[in-house]
């Protein structure tokens, strides 16, 4: 499946699952509150499948799979049969209407906890938090050394590279100094501070990460697997050999080895490799080949695979997984509100917003990494939908909840004129956010 069609497919899967769950929340609570549901639709536009349930609700799948809705019996949309008056939405108490509207985001929150719980039960493979720093970067000046293991970010323990970088990215938004606890390759712990206040204001997270220069440490330059019949094997290299230099150029890690092979082979295909085997130095002569492996672009190769980064897997039993899922939900909720607050105050750039294109790309990437990572992605998107829908913007669930809170305070419903004005304002705000997110997605795809 190509990247484009894979992105489209997994976007549709994501929206289909999360929107259906969101709308089911409205539907389920509405039925419990005695409100008649006329239609439950997954998608918008013309129906491509529908049926009438025994409860009289029309269930359908529509042609445009970018959302969904629940249509309830509502006096504001036309006359109501007197026999059905008791099942009409606006006639219910304000507390029941609040429960019905809040149920959509509430079910997204339930889905988030459940997805995280299942992810922790299955086990999410990840790289260990072993890092390095690009030369002259902020991280390098702060004292990050190759192979440092991050133990704590701002006092919070981290066990994986992803968790460590999540903490760093959250701190980047505020551009304030970030304490780190690391353990070096010599086993000693050190306390460092990343001076994020040196970063210029108003830029996106991607730009900040480049300037920070904190990266996953490369694997050691060890021949984890020498491919049979390839130049390295023919030249005498064996699994476990440590590569010291190529044509006299020192090799500090596997990433350096990968860069040097095509550079030196372009000068001459005859390479001299200095290696260590069992602690003893050896020299090998290897004739590189100009070819492609596994669909990759044609380049100079000698046929050696590196060991890859150290792997860790977050896997817990049912009770521990549930506790971890609650913690992950709370932590990501706090980070999301932190981002929203900083964008509103101007401390964080709106360049950090992503739209449908960005979501589709990440959906495809996470799905290709396996079910646990896709569950992690679904949990994060579901949480974002819950928070977005609770924002006090008319046309969103949060806007309706705001009207009902006003009704509780003043003792009577908000006027229809006020609601109409609010709808126009809400639509304008929503389209502005969508347009900005779409612009950011397109801008990220353009060459810099």
């Amino acid at each position: 499946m190509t990247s484009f069609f894979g992105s489209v497919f997994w976007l549709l899967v994501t929206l289909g699952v999360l929107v259906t769950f969101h709308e089911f929340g409205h539907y389920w609570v509405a039925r419990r509150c005695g409100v008649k549901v006329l239609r439950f639709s997954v998608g918008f536009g013309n129906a491509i499948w529908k049926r009438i349930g025994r409860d009289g609700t029309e269930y359908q799948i529509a042609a445009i799979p970018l959302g969904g809705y629940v249509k309830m019996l509502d006096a504001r949309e036309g006359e109501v049969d007197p026999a059905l008056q008791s099942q009409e939405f606006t006639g219910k108490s304000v507390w029941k209407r609040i429960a019905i509207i809040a149920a959509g985001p509430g079910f997204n929150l339930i889905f988030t906890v459940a997805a995280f719980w299942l992810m922790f039960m299955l086990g999410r493979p990840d790289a260990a938090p072993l890092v390095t720093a690009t030369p002259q970067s902020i991280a390098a000046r702060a004292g990050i050394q190759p192979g440092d293991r991050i133990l704590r970010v701002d006092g919070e323990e981290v066990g994986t590279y992803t968790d460590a970088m999540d903490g760093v990215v959250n701190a980047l938004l505020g551009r304030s100094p970030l304490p780190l606890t690391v353990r070096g390759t010599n086993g000693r712990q050190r306390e460092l501070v990343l001076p994020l206040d040196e970063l210029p204001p108003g830029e996106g997270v991607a730009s900040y990460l480049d300037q920070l220069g904190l990266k996953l440490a490369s694997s050691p330059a060890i021949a984890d697997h020498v491919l049979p019949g390839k130049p390295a094997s023919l030249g005498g290299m064996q699994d476990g050999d440590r590569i010291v230099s190529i044509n006299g150029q020192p090799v500090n890690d596997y990433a350096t080895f990968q860069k040097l092979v095509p550079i030196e082979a372009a000068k001459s295909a005859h390479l001299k490799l200095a290696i260590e085997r069992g602690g003893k130095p050896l020299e090998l002569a290897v004739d590189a080949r100009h070819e492609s492996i596994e669909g990759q672009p044609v380049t100079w190769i000698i046929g050696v695979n590196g060991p890859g980064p150290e792997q860790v897997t977050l896997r817990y039993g049912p009770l521990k997984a549930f506790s971890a899922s609650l913690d992950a939900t709370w932590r990501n909720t706090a980070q999301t509100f932190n981002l929203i607050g900083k964008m509103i105050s101007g401390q964080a750039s709106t360049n950090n917003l992503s739209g449908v294109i960005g979501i589709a790309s990440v959906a495809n990437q996470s799905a290709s990494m396996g079910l646990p990572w896709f569950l992690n992605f679904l949990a994060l998107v579901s949480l974002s939908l819950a928070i977005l829908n609770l924002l006090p913007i008319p046309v969103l669930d949060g806007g309706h909840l705001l009207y009902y809170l006003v009704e509780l305070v003043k003792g009577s419903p908000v006027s229809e004129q006020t609601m109409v004005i609010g709808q126009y304002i809400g639509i304008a705000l929503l389209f502005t956010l969508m347009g900005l997110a779409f612009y950011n997605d397109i801008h990220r795809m353009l060459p810099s």
Side-chain angles (χ1 to χ4, degrees), residues 264-275:
E264 294 299 315
K267 301 173 186 176
S268 170
H270 187 71
L271 304 177
K272 294 181 180 180
L273 271 64
I275 66 168

Side-chain angles (χ1 to χ4, degrees), residues 248-332:
Q249 299 291 326
V251 175
N252 299 317
D253 52 35
Y254 187 70
T256 303
F257 164 73
Q258 288 181 302
K259 291 178 182 177
L260 282 176
V261 167
I263 292 174
E264 294 299 315
K267 301 173 186 176
S268 170
H270 187 71
L271 304 177
K272 294 181 180 180
L273 271 64
I275 66 168
E276 284 185 3
R277 181 181 299 163
K280 297 180 180 180
L282 293 173
E283 288 193 1
L284 302 176
V286 175
D287 293 322
R289 294 178 188 170
H290 200 233
E291 61 182 61
S292 173
I293 296 180
E294 297 180 356
Q296 298 298 315
V298 175
T299 187
W300 290 98
I301 62 99
I302 63 173
V304 174
N305 289 335
E310 180 185 333
Q311 294 289 306
V312 292
T313 299
L314 294 177
R315 181 182 291 114
Y316 307 124
L319 293 179
K320 176 63 176 175
F322 183 68
S323 175
S325 70
L326 292 177
D327 180 66
T329 301
W330 171 254
R331 185 176 64 254
N332 283 284

